Amino acid sequence: MRNVMVLALSAALLAAWATEEPVDLRTVNRIKAEAFDNSKVMEHVFFLTDVNGPRLTGSPGIEGAAKWVINRLEEWGLTGAKMETWGPFGRGWSSTRFTAHLKAPQYAPLIGFARPWSPGTSGPISGEPVMAVIKTNADFEKFKGKLKGKIALLERPPSIVPIVAPPSRRFTETDLAGMFAAPDPGAAVVGLNPSAPGQPAPDREKARKFRNDLNKFLVDEGVMVAVYAGERDLGTVRATSAGSHESKDPVPPPSVAIAAEQYNRIARLIEKKIPVTVEFDIQAEFLPEKDSFNVVGEIPGSSKKDEVVMLGAHMDSWTGGTGATDNAAGSAVMMEAIRILKALNLNMPRTVRIALWTGEEQGMLGSKAYVKSHFADPEVMSPKPEHAKLAGYFNIDNGTGKIRGVYLQGND
Ligand SMILES: [Zn+2]
């Protein structure tokens, strides 16, 4: 599948120049042959995910992955492979142990993990879970003085319904036509969500303020552990930040996500007033404030070497899995595309540069910093000289599957 993605990307690159330069079909065929017969794309995914693990920005995992990428780019003969720092990012975070158990009324191991930027527990701690569904600042009053030493379940039990449709399906031609007819982004960029055309953008600032207020409230009230339901079912746990990478924001209490089915079991026991005990043991630590980085490297061009075509993807992830689809897949495809271009020793007029971003999951921080330092400060929109030399940028952050179109995400 990913071979096809590389092919589609290469074809897209060539197609973009087709109006000005003739398509060299012999070269296209050589690219296809290297992609299909000598693919290394799954090896890139293996090292990014299975070997380097989760790649949270500011964690040891992303540094290890970045060093591995740089070694590969150098090995392939790219020029200037390096970490290009940006910042400040804030505090890093690392978790090295997590266990969770239901101890009463019956024993069961719990599936879960510490949410990023959660503190640890200083050894195993057990206690009584209570429901404390807090969704707005107005809810604080209801729980004031009631949560000391408790394990607080902070969400309504999610509804879990039988899966009756295939978990994934191929877009129909009608689906694709609908996406093609998305609203004019010129009118829609401000206040609309570029990843879901027509939908309002989530109010991140409001959500962030509430998270900070909630974390402060939970710590002030003496909550022992904050428990959230993983957003998925079938034992898959998904969760994002417990707290923040920014030191000015309050540190939450130890904070975990557990499998939704198990969260719901505990909630049902609480509702029926059956005594429940759960135990958590979390080792997690905040790391000193540090800048982050993007990983870059390039193949210098020939006659138009100061013009640049960029390939990019974000290599950072969350921590519950290994970030395979979001976005080791895109990173591996871009690595494979540039490996192929270099391996074929093509005479490319323009420089081709790869950039693997970090900080994407915290608000596209790495790519925004790159744009600001190389192309233009969006605040003033005064383009820098490099801006005029950028011939094009191709990004993948769409998971797996064949590329059947190009999302412009409000940029056309
Ligand atoms: Zn992503």
Side-chain angles (χ1 to χ4, degrees):
M1 188 63 83
R2 301 222 174 83
N3 287 333
V4 179
M5 294 171 81
V6 173
L7 169 65
L9 176 76
S10 310
L13 270 173
L14 292 162
W17 301 327
T19 50
E20 291 177 17
E21 296 170 26
V23 174
D24 175 355
L25 285 178
R26 191 175 160 269
T27 299
V28 171
N29 284 330
R30 288 181 65 206
I31 289 171
K32 283 165 71 172
E34 179 69 18
F36 285 116
D37 300 340
N38 193 31
S39 174
K40 301 282 187 291
V41 74
M42 292 309 289
E43 200 175 308
H44 311 332
V45 175
F46 168 72
F47 277 97
L48 283 171
T49 59
D50 290 339
V51 179
N52 283 296
R55 299 172 304 284
L56 186 74
T57 300
S59 74
I62 192 134
E63 284 202 24
K67 285 176 189 154
W68 176 82
V69 172
I70 289 166
N71 286 342
R72 292 293 77 69
L73 300 183
E74 284 176 344
E75 186 182 294
W76 299 335
L78 265 70
T79 302
K82 62 175 183 189
M83 289 184 195
E84 187 173 309
T85 52
W86 58 267
F89 173 67
R91 53 195 171 192
W93 184 80
S94 170
S95 177
T96 48
R97 179 180 170 81
F98 176 88
T99 67
H101 312 273
L102 178 67
K103 295 178 81 178
Q106 298 292 333
Y107 176 77
L110 299 175
I111 303 168
F113 57 90
R115 301 171 78 222
W117 288 286
S118 159
T121 55
S122 311
I125 52 171
S126 60
E128 180 197 358
V130 295
M131 292 307 299
V133 178
I134 302 176
K135 290 289 164 200
T136 66
N137 291 57
D139 293 332
F140 293 159
E141 211 44 51
K142 282 188 246 171
F143 295 98
K144 219 167 172 27
K146 296 177 185 165
L147 299 175
K148 193 166 178 53
K150 301 289 189 198
I151 289 171
L153 274 62
L154 290 159
E155 296 177 294
R156 281 181 203 92
S159 80
I160 295 172
V161 294
I163 296 167
V164 294
S168 65
R169 66 178 181 87
R170 182 178 167 83
F171 286 129
T172 64
E173 293 303 321
T174 313
D175 293 332
L176 293 176
M179 292 178 200
F180 189 72
D184 176 8
V189 169
V190 178
L192 284 182
N193 184 349
S195 58
Q199 299 298 309
D203 191 339
R204 283 172 184 269
E205 243 347 276
K206 207 171 143 191
R208 189 179 131 149
K209 182 174 182 315
F210 174 67
R211 183 195 65 201
N212 287 344
D213 291 349
L214 175 61
N215 283 339
K216 184 172 184 315
F217 173 77
L218 296 175
V219 168
D220 289 350
E221 291 295 307
V223 166
M224 193 194 286
V225 180
V227 184
Y228 294 81
E231 286 171 28
R232 304 282 162 85
D233 61 3
L234 303 175
T236 300
V237 179
R238 181 174 187 268
T240 52
S241 294
S244 165
H245 56 97
E246 294 186 51
S247 304
K248 64 181 171 50
D249 291 336
V251 172
S255 183
V256 306
I258 63 170
E261 298 92 333
Q262 297 182 317
Y263 185 96
N264 288 2
R265 178 180 175 189
I266 295 168
R268 289 191 295 271
L269 292 166
I270 295 169
E271 193 186 4
K272 296 283 189 194
K273 302 198 175 359
I274 309 275
V276 187
T277 308
V278 291
E279 179 187 285
F280 293 99
D281 182 5
I282 306 164
Q283 273 175 19
E285 62 173 334
F286 290 94
L287 306 172
E289 291 231 359
K290 212 169 158 179
D291 284 348
S292 189
F293 53 81
N294 297 312
V295 173
V296 296
E298 64 187 33
I299 306 171
S302 52
S303 59
K304 298 179 180 172
K305 82 182 285 187
D306 59 339
E307 294 184 28
V308 179
V309 174
M310 289 190 67
L311 314 178
H314 75 86
M315 62 180 289
D316 63 306
S317 76
W318 290 108
T319 55
T322 57
T325 53
D326 190 10
N327 185 25
S331 302
V333 166
M334 292 314 192
M335 287 179 71
E336 180 67 350
I338 208 155
R339 183 197 70 77
I340 291 169
L341 294 177
K342 182 65 188 170
L344 296 180
N345 198 21
L346 301 173
N347 177 22
M348 296 188 290
R350 296 172 181 83
T351 293
V352 179
R353 181 182 301 155
I354 185 171
L356 299 184
W357 318 112
T358 69
E360 195 274 351
E361 299 292 0
Q362 286 71 39
M364 296 184 281
L365 303 181
S367 54
K368 279 182 181 166
Y370 190 89
V371 166
K372 192 170 170 180
S373 77
H374 287 266
F375 302 128
D377 181 349
E379 296 281 318
V380 292
M381 279 315 290
S382 171
K384 299 185 177 207
E386 277 184 76
H387 181 272
K389 300 291 185 182
L390 181 67
Y393 172 63
F394 297 86
N395 186 78
I396 301 185
D397 189 14
N398 301 83
T400 57
K402 185 177 179 180
I403 294 173
R404 298 175 64 202
V406 177
Y407 262 122
L408 294 173
Q409 299 195 290
N411 289 304
D412 60 340

